[in-house]
Protein backbone atom coordinates (compact mmCIF):
# COMPACT_ATOMS: atom_id res chain seq x y z
CA UNK A 1 0.00 0.00 0.00
CA UNK A 2 1.37 3.41 -0.93
CA UNK A 3 1.78 6.21 1.57
CA UNK A 4 -0.94 8.82 1.74
CA UNK A 5 0.84 12.15 1.45
CA UNK A 6 -0.29 15.08 3.61
CA UNK A 7 -2.07 18.23 2.52
CA UNK A 8 -0.24 21.39 3.59
CA UNK A 9 -0.82 25.09 3.76
CA UNK A 10 2.26 27.25 4.21
CA UNK A 11 2.53 30.97 4.80
CA UNK A 12 5.39 31.86 2.48
CA UNK A 13 5.91 35.54 3.29
CA UNK A 14 8.92 37.35 1.82
CA UNK A 15 10.92 35.80 -1.04
CA UNK A 16 13.95 36.29 1.20
CA UNK A 17 12.86 33.21 3.12
CA UNK A 18 14.25 31.30 0.13
CA UNK A 19 17.84 32.21 0.93
CA UNK A 20 17.79 33.09 4.61
CA UNK A 21 17.81 30.91 7.71
CA UNK A 22 14.54 32.04 9.28
CA UNK A 23 12.11 30.45 11.75
CA UNK A 24 9.71 29.85 8.85
CA UNK A 25 12.26 28.30 6.50
CA UNK A 26 13.40 26.00 9.30
CA UNK A 27 9.78 25.05 9.89
CA UNK A 28 9.36 24.04 6.23
CA UNK A 29 12.48 21.90 6.36
CA UNK A 30 11.38 20.29 9.62
CA UNK A 31 7.86 19.45 8.43
CA UNK A 32 9.23 17.58 5.40
CA UNK A 33 11.05 15.25 7.80
CA UNK A 34 7.73 14.25 9.37
CA UNK A 35 6.54 12.17 6.40
CA UNK A 36 8.05 10.09 3.56
CA UNK A 37 9.26 11.90 0.46
CA UNK A 38 6.32 12.24 -1.93
CA UNK A 39 6.20 10.97 -5.50
CA UNK A 40 5.22 14.45 -6.68
CA UNK A 41 3.89 17.79 -5.47
CA UNK A 42 0.77 19.60 -6.61
CA UNK A 43 1.33 23.25 -5.74
CA UNK A 44 -1.28 26.01 -5.56
CA UNK A 45 0.57 29.31 -5.19
CA UNK A 46 -0.76 32.80 -4.58
CA UNK A 47 1.51 33.98 -7.39
CA UNK A 48 -0.14 32.22 -10.32
CA UNK A 49 -3.51 33.85 -11.01
CA UNK A 50 -5.23 33.17 -14.32
CA UNK A 51 -8.56 33.39 -16.09
CA UNK A 52 -9.57 29.74 -16.11
CA UNK A 53 -7.90 26.84 -14.31
CA UNK A 54 -4.43 26.15 -15.71
CA UNK A 55 -2.02 23.29 -14.99
CA UNK A 56 1.71 23.37 -15.72
CA UNK A 57 2.55 20.64 -18.20
CA UNK A 58 6.24 21.08 -18.99
CA UNK A 59 8.82 18.43 -18.14
CA UNK A 60 11.37 21.03 -17.00
CA UNK A 61 9.63 24.06 -15.48
CA UNK A 62 11.68 27.25 -15.30
CA UNK A 63 12.43 29.07 -12.05
CA UNK A 64 10.44 32.33 -12.13
CA UNK A 65 11.82 35.33 -10.22
CA UNK A 66 8.50 37.13 -9.88
CA UNK A 67 9.40 39.92 -7.46
CA UNK A 68 10.66 43.48 -7.58
CA UNK A 69 14.13 44.90 -8.14
CA UNK A 70 14.74 45.74 -4.50
CA UNK A 71 15.86 42.21 -3.66
CA UNK A 72 19.52 41.13 -3.71
CA UNK A 73 21.26 39.58 -6.69
CA UNK A 74 21.62 36.30 -4.80
CA UNK A 75 17.86 35.85 -4.79
CA UNK A 76 17.60 36.39 -8.54
CA UNK A 77 20.37 33.84 -9.04
CA UNK A 78 18.48 31.04 -7.31
CA UNK A 79 17.55 28.16 -9.60
CA UNK A 80 15.33 25.34 -8.43
CA UNK A 81 15.48 22.75 -11.23
CA UNK A 82 12.80 20.35 -10.01
CA UNK A 83 11.24 18.38 -12.85
CA UNK A 84 7.65 18.67 -13.92
CA UNK A 85 5.34 15.73 -14.53
CA UNK A 86 3.37 15.96 -17.80
CA UNK A 87 1.53 12.68 -17.10
CA UNK A 88 0.37 13.96 -13.72
CA UNK A 89 -0.64 17.26 -15.30
CA UNK A 90 -2.86 15.42 -17.77
CA UNK A 91 -4.37 13.34 -14.97
CA UNK A 92 -5.16 16.50 -13.01
CA UNK A 93 -6.73 18.12 -16.07
CA UNK A 94 -8.99 15.09 -16.40
CA UNK A 95 -9.99 15.30 -12.74
CA UNK A 96 -10.82 18.97 -13.23
CA UNK A 97 -12.74 18.62 -16.49
CA UNK A 98 -15.87 19.98 -14.82
CA UNK A 99 -13.95 23.18 -14.09
CA UNK A 100 -12.68 23.61 -17.66
CA UNK A 101 -9.05 23.02 -16.68
CA UNK A 102 -6.41 23.36 -19.39
CA UNK A 103 -2.75 22.46 -19.67
CA UNK A 104 -0.24 25.32 -19.75
CA UNK A 105 3.33 25.17 -21.06
CA UNK A 106 4.24 28.82 -20.42
CA UNK A 107 4.43 29.00 -16.61
CA UNK A 108 7.12 27.49 -14.43
CA UNK A 109 7.71 27.55 -10.67
CA UNK A 110 7.01 30.94 -9.13
CA UNK A 111 8.52 32.04 -5.83
CA UNK A 112 5.42 31.00 -3.89
CA UNK A 113 6.41 27.48 -4.88
CA UNK A 114 10.20 27.29 -5.01
CA UNK A 115 11.00 29.55 -2.06
CA UNK A 116 9.25 27.03 0.18
CA UNK A 117 9.99 23.70 -1.50
CA UNK A 118 13.72 24.36 -1.82
CA UNK A 119 13.91 24.07 1.98
CA UNK A 120 11.75 20.95 2.06
CA UNK A 121 13.55 19.15 -0.78
CA UNK A 122 16.88 20.92 -1.40
CA UNK A 123 17.95 18.35 -4.00
CA UNK A 124 15.06 19.43 -6.28
CA UNK A 125 14.28 15.77 -6.87
CA UNK A 126 10.49 15.80 -6.42
CA UNK A 127 8.42 16.62 -9.54
CA UNK A 128 6.14 19.65 -9.19
CA UNK A 129 2.95 20.52 -11.02
CA UNK A 130 1.32 23.89 -10.33
CA UNK A 131 -2.43 24.49 -10.49
CA UNK A 132 -3.41 28.13 -10.97
CA UNK A 133 -5.93 30.23 -9.07
CA UNK A 134 -8.85 31.05 -11.36
CA UNK A 135 -9.69 34.70 -10.70
CA UNK A 136 -13.26 34.20 -11.88
CA UNK A 137 -14.30 31.75 -9.16
CA UNK A 138 -15.66 32.26 -5.63
CA UNK A 139 -14.04 30.57 -2.67
CA UNK A 140 -16.68 27.82 -2.67
CA UNK A 141 -15.59 26.72 -6.15
CA UNK A 142 -11.91 26.79 -5.21
CA UNK A 143 -12.87 24.51 -2.33
CA UNK A 144 -14.60 22.16 -4.77
CA UNK A 145 -11.51 22.08 -7.00
CA UNK A 146 -9.41 21.15 -3.97
CA UNK A 147 -11.82 18.35 -3.09
CA UNK A 148 -11.38 16.99 -6.62
CA UNK A 149 -7.61 16.90 -6.02
CA UNK A 150 -7.79 15.23 -2.62
CA UNK A 151 -7.54 11.61 -3.77
CA UNK A 152 -4.19 12.33 -5.43
CA UNK A 153 -2.80 12.11 -1.92
CA UNK A 154 -3.47 8.37 -1.92
CA UNK A 155 -0.83 8.08 -4.67
CA UNK A 156 1.71 9.75 -2.34
CA UNK A 157 1.27 13.11 -4.06
CA UNK A 158 1.70 16.04 -1.72
CA UNK A 159 -0.80 18.90 -2.07
CA UNK A 160 0.55 22.30 -0.96
CA UNK A 161 -1.23 25.63 -0.83
CA UNK A 162 1.21 28.54 -0.51
CA UNK A 163 0.01 32.00 0.48
CA UNK A 164 -0.64 33.76 3.82
CA UNK A 165 -3.64 33.78 6.14
CA UNK A 166 -2.94 37.43 6.93
CA UNK A 167 -1.39 39.39 4.06
CA UNK A 168 -1.51 43.19 3.99
CA UNK A 169 1.68 44.60 2.48
CA UNK A 170 0.84 48.29 3.01
CA UNK A 171 0.36 47.51 6.70
CA UNK A 172 3.72 45.72 6.67
CA UNK A 173 5.68 48.53 5.02
CA UNK A 174 3.97 51.38 6.89
CA UNK A 175 4.03 49.83 10.34
CA UNK A 176 5.43 52.26 12.93
CA UNK A 177 7.16 49.44 14.82
CA UNK A 178 8.26 45.82 14.27
CA UNK A 179 5.41 44.64 16.47
CA UNK A 180 2.42 43.11 14.65
CA UNK A 181 -0.89 44.92 14.79
CA UNK A 182 -3.45 43.34 17.11
CA UNK A 183 -5.65 42.26 14.20
CA UNK A 184 -2.89 40.05 12.75
CA UNK A 185 -3.12 37.56 15.62
CA UNK A 186 -6.86 38.00 16.07
CA UNK A 187 -7.72 37.15 12.48
CA UNK A 188 -5.11 34.41 12.23
CA UNK A 189 -6.49 32.71 15.35
CA UNK A 190 -10.04 32.99 14.03
CA UNK A 191 -9.06 31.22 10.78
CA UNK A 192 -7.02 28.63 12.69
CA UNK A 193 -10.13 27.79 14.72
CA UNK A 194 -12.06 27.39 11.47
CA UNK A 195 -9.41 25.11 9.98
CA UNK A 196 -9.73 22.92 13.06
CA UNK A 197 -13.48 23.04 13.60
CA UNK A 198 -15.58 24.92 11.03
CA UNK A 199 -14.60 24.94 7.36
CA UNK A 200 -17.50 27.23 6.43
CA UNK A 201 -15.85 29.97 8.49
CA UNK A 202 -12.72 29.66 6.34
CA UNK A 203 -14.50 29.44 2.98
CA UNK A 204 -16.52 32.51 4.02
CA UNK A 205 -13.38 34.27 5.23
CA UNK A 206 -14.39 37.69 3.88
CA UNK A 207 -17.40 37.75 6.23
CA UNK A 208 -15.24 37.35 9.35
CA UNK A 209 -14.27 40.27 11.61
CA UNK A 210 -11.14 42.15 10.46
CA UNK A 211 -11.14 40.39 7.06
CA UNK A 212 -11.03 43.68 5.12
CA UNK A 213 -7.76 44.66 6.73
CA UNK A 214 -6.23 41.24 7.45
CA UNK A 215 -7.06 39.44 4.19
CA UNK A 216 -7.53 42.04 1.45
CA UNK A 217 -5.49 39.98 -1.04
CA UNK A 218 -7.77 37.10 -2.07
CA UNK A 219 -5.01 35.27 -3.95
CA UNK A 220 -2.88 34.96 -0.82
CA UNK A 221 -5.73 33.63 1.25
CA UNK A 222 -7.17 31.18 -1.27
CA UNK A 223 -4.38 28.56 -0.94
CA UNK A 224 -5.69 28.06 2.61
CA UNK A 225 -8.94 26.86 1.05
CA UNK A 226 -7.04 24.37 -1.15
CA UNK A 227 -5.35 22.68 1.79
CA UNK A 228 -8.71 22.62 3.56
CA UNK A 229 -10.49 21.03 0.61
CA UNK A 230 -7.79 18.38 0.19
CA UNK A 231 -8.38 17.09 3.72
CA UNK A 232 -9.56 13.49 4.15
CA UNK A 233 -12.28 12.55 6.63
CA UNK A 234 -11.03 12.16 10.17
CA UNK A 235 -7.83 14.17 9.70
CA UNK A 236 -7.02 16.88 12.20
CA UNK A 237 -4.66 19.78 11.49
CA UNK A 238 -1.18 20.15 12.88
CA UNK A 239 -0.22 23.84 13.11
CA UNK A 240 3.33 25.18 12.88
CA UNK A 241 5.21 28.39 12.01
CA UNK A 242 2.91 30.52 14.16
CA UNK A 243 4.98 33.64 13.50
CA UNK A 244 3.47 37.14 13.29
CA UNK A 245 4.84 40.32 11.72
CA UNK A 246 3.21 43.65 10.90
CA UNK A 247 0.49 42.86 8.36
CA UNK A 248 1.62 39.23 7.93
CA UNK A 249 1.06 35.87 9.58
CA UNK A 250 3.29 32.95 8.63
CA UNK A 251 1.02 30.26 10.10
CA UNK A 252 1.12 26.88 8.37
CA UNK A 253 -0.77 23.65 8.90
CA UNK A 254 -0.76 20.05 7.75
CA UNK A 255 -3.46 17.41 7.47
CA UNK A 256 -2.55 13.74 7.46
CA UNK A 257 0.83 13.68 9.16
CA UNK A 258 1.87 10.15 10.18
CA UNK A 259 1.10 9.44 13.82
Amino acid sequence: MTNRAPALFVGHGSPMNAIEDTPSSRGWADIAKRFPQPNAIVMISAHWVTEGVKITSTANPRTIHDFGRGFPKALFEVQYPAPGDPDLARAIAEKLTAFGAELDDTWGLDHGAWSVVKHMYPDADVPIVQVSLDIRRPASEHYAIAQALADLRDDNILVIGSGNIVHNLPAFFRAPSPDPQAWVATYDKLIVSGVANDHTKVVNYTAQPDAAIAAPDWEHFMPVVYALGARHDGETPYFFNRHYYPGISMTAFAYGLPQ
Side-chain angles (χ1 to χ4, degrees):
M1 181 176 179
T2 59
N3 295 307
R4 174 184 287 175
L8 301 182
F9 168 76
V10 294
H12 67 244
S14 168
M16 291 299 292
N17 283 302
I19 60 173
E20 292 181 341
D21 178 23
T22 67
S24 294
S25 67
R26 291 193 295 272
W28 303 331
D30 289 344
I31 201 68
K33 299 172 185 175
R34 299 275 306 266
F35 54 90
Q37 182 164 309
N39 294 334
I41 295 169
V42 174
M43 172 66 73
I44 301 91
S45 165
H47 294 280
W48 192 26
V49 176
T50 57
E51 290 192 359
V53 180
K54 309 294 183 183
I55 304 158
T56 57
S57 60
T58 56
N60 298 289
R62 62 194 174 95
T63 303
I64 303 173
H65 301 90
D66 52 330
F67 34 77
R69 297 179 180 177
F71 291 98
K73 181 181 178 182
L75 188 60
F76 287 94
E77 291 176 342
V78 172
Q79 294 294 314
Y80 188 73
D85 189 332
D87 290 339
L88 176 58
R90 287 189 287 270
I92 293 171
E94 185 172 344
K95 286 181 178 295
L96 301 183
T97 298
F99 303 95
E102 298 177 342
L103 299 178
D104 179 278
D105 63 1
T106 64
W107 199 249
L109 301 178
D110 59 63
H111 82 268
W114 59 261
S115 69
V116 173
V117 178
K118 74 181 293 290
H119 292 286
M120 297 176 68
Y121 304 107
D123 293 334
D125 54 353
V126 179
I128 304 176
V129 172
Q130 284 202 219
V131 177
S132 73
L133 293 171
D134 185 352
I135 195 172
R136 306 174 303 182
R137 296 182 184 275
S140 59
E141 292 185 16
H142 288 284
Y143 187 75
I145 292 169
Q147 289 179 309
L149 298 173
D151 64 356
L152 291 171
R153 294 176 50 204
D154 288 329
D155 294 324
N156 196 29
I157 296 172
L158 176 64
V159 176
I160 304 179
S162 176
N164 289 97
I165 290 176
V166 177
H167 187 268
N168 184 327
L169 288 183
F172 175 81
F173 287 114
R174 298 171 188 167
S177 80
D179 298 321
Q181 302 89 341
W183 47 263
V184 174
T186 300
Y187 189 78
D188 183 84
K189 291 174 181 177
L190 183 152
I191 295 301
V192 161
S193 72
V195 169
N197 303 303
D198 183 1
H199 288 192
T200 60
K201 183 187 295 184
V202 183
V203 175
N204 297 319
Y205 74 100
T206 58
Q208 308 309 317
D210 293 323
I213 190 169
D217 303 320
W218 75 272
E219 77 286 352
H220 272 75
F221 190 90
M222 206 53 59
V224 178
V225 174
Y226 276 81
L228 206 68
R231 171 186 175 272
H232 283 238
D233 290 344
E235 292 179 338
T236 57
Y238 169 78
F239 294 97
F240 61 105
N241 280 6
R242 300 296 303 278
H243 312 134
Y244 300 148
Y245 303 94
I248 301 288
S249 74
M250 295 296 291
T251 295
F253 61 86
Y255 287 114
L257 290 182
Q259 299 300 312

